[in-house]
Amino acid sequence: MQLIVDSLNDIIWSRALILLCLGAGLFYSISTRFLQIRHFGHMVKIMFEGKSSDAGVSSFQALSIALSGRVGTGNIAGVATAIAAGGPGSIFWMWLIAFLGAGSAYVKSTLGQIYKSKQEGQFRGGPAFYIEKGLKKRWYAILFAIVTVISTGILMPGVQANSIAIGIDNAFGINPKVTGIILIIILGVIIFGGVKRIAHVAEFVVPFMALGYILVALIIVGSNLSQLPSVLSLIFSSAFGVHSVFGGILGAAISWGVKRGIYSNEAGQGTAPHAAAAAEVTHPVKQGLVQAFSVYIDTWFVCSATAFMILLTGMYNVTPEGSAPIVNNLGDVKAGPYFTQQAVESVLPGFGAPFVAIALLFFAFTTIMAYYYIAETNLAYLNRKVRRVWSEHILRIAVLGMVYYGCVKTAELAWALGDIGVGSMAWLNLIAILLLSRPTLVALKDYEKQKRMGLDPVFDPIKLGIKDADFWENEYQPETRA
């Protein structure tokens, strides 16, 4: 099975997808005049605006749901696997895809808001919705929804669960089967409670876990501060193929940096628009900007924290695919949580392994919650005409089953399956948002114009010539805005 999965991954994650991800990010950065720089301060300000309603969640809750999907095992195990396969230079390419990806994140999250719908009293939206309404390609929307249900409901939860099980086994010696049983019990209670319960859990857990993790990272960095300039030099020289040791794996550095960057911050993958659409806002651009900032939180803060801990302490191996080890500081171990655990252990003996295991538990568990919400949203899209309650129960059982399976299967297979899910969604979503650039650019121009007039921007799609924004045309009442 591993050979089949790896072969499929080679097709999906060809050089074409890497170029598409970088190209789309560059296109939207230029076309929005680098809003990720111009509106940086404003992003932080509006992050805490707005309140939840019966139909939607607050901007911060939507951000937390999106971050719970972004900040996961990719921030700890994913960074380690990128370094192990692509060397230190892969970190630069993670940073670059995050910067460019903030432009793509704005676009797809704004589209999620523009074309959102209200179903059974709750906001629903995402790529399937804006593909059908914006591109008028229902078959394409159905294809994306089906691929997303399979990816986020079956292929991707196993990666998160696998890293949790490995981290806990390394730290506490608990059998992965036991970990799997505990996870599915807790997760079952949450996902059967619906999106409101997911939002409330996420808005509490995500800020807590991210701040705690970064605080420990600062301690590790502070303990090795004198080595920081040389590590930064190592990252940049390796990223451009001029380092004497890592110069020969430039292609791997780019490939793994982009691949793991997208897995972590989902810049282009199309998961964040689902959470963005659930927000109660007065203008779609507000949530687009908030979601753009979340890419920075994920990669520039959390992923960088992991990278610096690993590289500053030297707790890593580098073994390019099909080659002998270039660096072998840890012996014969699998790339993953162990790198980060050993990095913290080297400075805080007896604390590192348990801390990283617990951090990984929070990171990955909230990501699994977000995956379920995304899968449920796409199932709701497929069930708009006829509600098939049985399909919702099957989805929940499938997610719980894959969480348990992920705990007991090999890390290589878990990551390979997850990469198939991420890559498949990225192909479909990136093509869609490139074809739907006009509404997001028109909305941004309108938002900035209203801000210059000193107004709290309110969205009027009819005035802007944006068609089929059904909720905003027929149901939104400015006097009820958050």
Side-chain angles (χ1 to χ4, degrees), residues 90-353:
S90 61
I91 302 305
F92 168 82
W93 295 101
M94 290 184 75
W95 290 340
L96 180 63
I97 197 64
F99 175 73
L100 297 178
S104 300
Y106 158 76
V107 170
K108 60 183 183 286
S109 294
T110 301
L111 285 171
Q113 268 287 329
I114 289 174
Y115 295 108
K116 69 183 179 182
S117 298
K118 188 183 287 187
Q119 292 180 221
E120 298 177 2
Q122 291 187 341
F123 289 140
R124 296 283 192 183
F129 292 81
Y130 58 67
I131 289 170
E132 178 179 339
K133 294 180 179 181
L135 291 181
K136 306 294 190 295
K137 303 290 185 184
R138 190 163 185 269
W139 67 268
Y140 194 177
I142 292 173
L143 175 62
F144 182 89
I146 292 172
V147 168
T148 303
V149 170
I150 294 172
S151 296
T152 57
I154 297 175
L155 299 178
M156 293 161 62
V159 178
Q160 312 296 328
N162 182 267
S163 294
I164 292 173
I166 291 174
I168 289 178
D169 190 20
N170 289 340
F172 306 109
I174 297 175
N175 190 300
K177 293 180 180 179
V178 176
T179 301
I181 292 171
I182 295 172
L183 284 180
I184 63 175
I185 291 173
I186 299 173
L187 181 64
V189 171
I190 295 173
I191 65 176
F192 276 89
V195 63
K196 292 289 186 178
R197 185 172 295 175
I198 292 172
H200 287 308
V201 172
E203 75 172 331
F204 171 75
V205 172
V206 171
F208 167 77
M209 70 182 184
L211 289 174
Y213 188 75
I214 291 173
L215 178 61
V216 170
L218 289 173
I219 295 173
I220 307 303
V221 172
S223 301
N224 298 272
L225 197 58
S226 62
Q227 300 180 50
L228 186 58
S230 62
V231 165
L232 287 170
S233 175
L234 175 66
I235 290 173
F236 284 98
S237 62
S238 302
F240 295 99
V242 297
H243 191 274
S244 59
V245 176
F246 303 109
I249 59 169
L250 174 60
I254 297 172
S255 175
W256 283 94
V258 173
K259 182 187 290 188
R260 288 291 168 257
I262 291 174
Y263 200 104
S264 176
N265 63 46
E266 79 88 43
Q269 177 187 335
T271 52
H274 301 90
E280 182 77 70
V281 292
T282 63
H283 199 292
V285 170
K286 287 185 176 181
Q287 191 57 206
L289 293 175
V290 168
Q291 295 297 337
F293 184 74
S294 72
V295 175
Y296 293 154
I297 296 175
D298 172 89
T299 303
W300 286 9
F301 297 160
V302 185
C303 283
S304 295
T306 300
F308 283 125
M309 285 194 289
I310 291 174
L311 295 176
L312 283 168
T313 59
M315 295 298 169
Y316 63 96
N317 297 335
V318 179
T319 307
E321 190 174 359
S323 304
I326 295 177
V327 176
N328 190 12
N329 295 335
L330 294 176
D332 186 20
V333 297
K334 299 292 184 182
Y338 185 76
F339 283 23
T340 314
Q341 288 177 314
Q342 289 302 109
V344 182
E345 281 284 338
S346 68
V347 176
L348 301 171
F351 176 76

Side-chain angles (χ1 to χ4, degrees), residues 353-368:
F355 171 75
V356 173
I358 293 170
L360 192 53
L361 171 63
F362 283 123
F363 282 175
F365 187 81
T366 53
T367 299
I368 295 170

Side-chain angles (χ1 to χ4, degrees), residues 1-9 12-13 155 159 259-260 263 409-423:
M1 182 176 180
Q2 184 75 51
L3 290 175
I4 296 173
V5 171
D6 288 343
S7 298
L8 187 56
N9 253 321
I12 294 173
W13 282 99
L155 299 178
V159 178
K259 182 187 290 188
R260 288 291 168 257
Y263 200 104
K409 67 183 175 182
T410 64
E412 291 87 350
L413 183 57
W415 277 103
L417 289 172
D419 284 339
I420 289 174
V422 172

Side-chain angles (χ1 to χ4, degrees), residues 114 116-118 133 459-462 468-478:
I114 289 174
K116 69 183 179 182
S117 298
K118 188 183 287 187
K133 294 180 179 181
F459 186 57
D460 183 350
I462 298 175
D468 297 309
D470 299 337
F471 167 77
W472 297 97
E473 290 179 13
N474 304 319
E475 298 184 61
Y476 177 64
Q477 299 295 327

